[in-house]
């Protein structure tokens, strides 16, 4: 359901503009990397805008509905980072061990400034999830990550 707003504004039986057939088929990279650095956390990364949008989750990501996790947005990473596993050396940013915790694809269902709805097709996480910007403690890097209830 990408391009929802674009499509809502147009009647394609009357305008020659493209509907954008391709966007619905697009499957994007989804990965969560378990990162044992000074503090253990899980890095959620979603291929979006040509990069991996990234969030650090301090506790294990939720498999089921009803568990909300803080997800702190971090800097965009290159798409190739989805394949990275290994040891970041002592003294380097994020020093510690990175390993793939879950991996697959996702579809973007809906997105605005403060809400990203995705359909995850991973091995551990499956189904509809939400990232909700909370601005908790006045910091707009703070989001919540949780599995969507049906119809929410
Ligand atoms: Mn990390």
């Amino acid at each position: 359901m990408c391009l929802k707003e674009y499509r809502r504004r147009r009647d394609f039986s009357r305008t020659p503009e493209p509907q954008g057939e391709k966007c619905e088929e697009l499957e994007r990279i989804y990965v969560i990397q378990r990162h044992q650095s000074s503090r253990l956390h899980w890095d959620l990364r979603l291929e979006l805008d040509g990069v991996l949008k990234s969030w650090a989750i301090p506790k294990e990501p939720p498999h089921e509905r009803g568990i909300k996790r803080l997800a702190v947005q971090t800097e965009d990473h290159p798409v190739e980072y989805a394949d990275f596993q290994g040891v970041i050396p002592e003294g380097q940013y994020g020093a510690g061990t990175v390993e793939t915790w879950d991996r697959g694809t996702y579809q973007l269902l809906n997105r605005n400034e403060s809400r990203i709805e995705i359909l995850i097709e991973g091995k551990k996480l499956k189904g509809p999830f939400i990232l909700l910007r909370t601005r908790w403690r006045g910091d707009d890097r703070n989001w919540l990550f949780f599995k969507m209830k049906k119809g929410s």
Side-chain angles (χ1 to χ4, degrees), residues 6-19:
Y6 173 86
R7 287 172 175 160
R8 191 184 64 77
R9 291 166 183 263
R10 291 167 175 82
D11 178 352
F12 293 102
S13 65
R14 303 182 67 185
T15 175
E17 295 167 291
Q19 287 190 51

Side-chain angles (χ1 to χ4, degrees), residues 84-90 95-98:
F84 176 72
Q85 294 195 81
V87 177
I88 302 169
E90 238 7 85
T97 305
V98 175

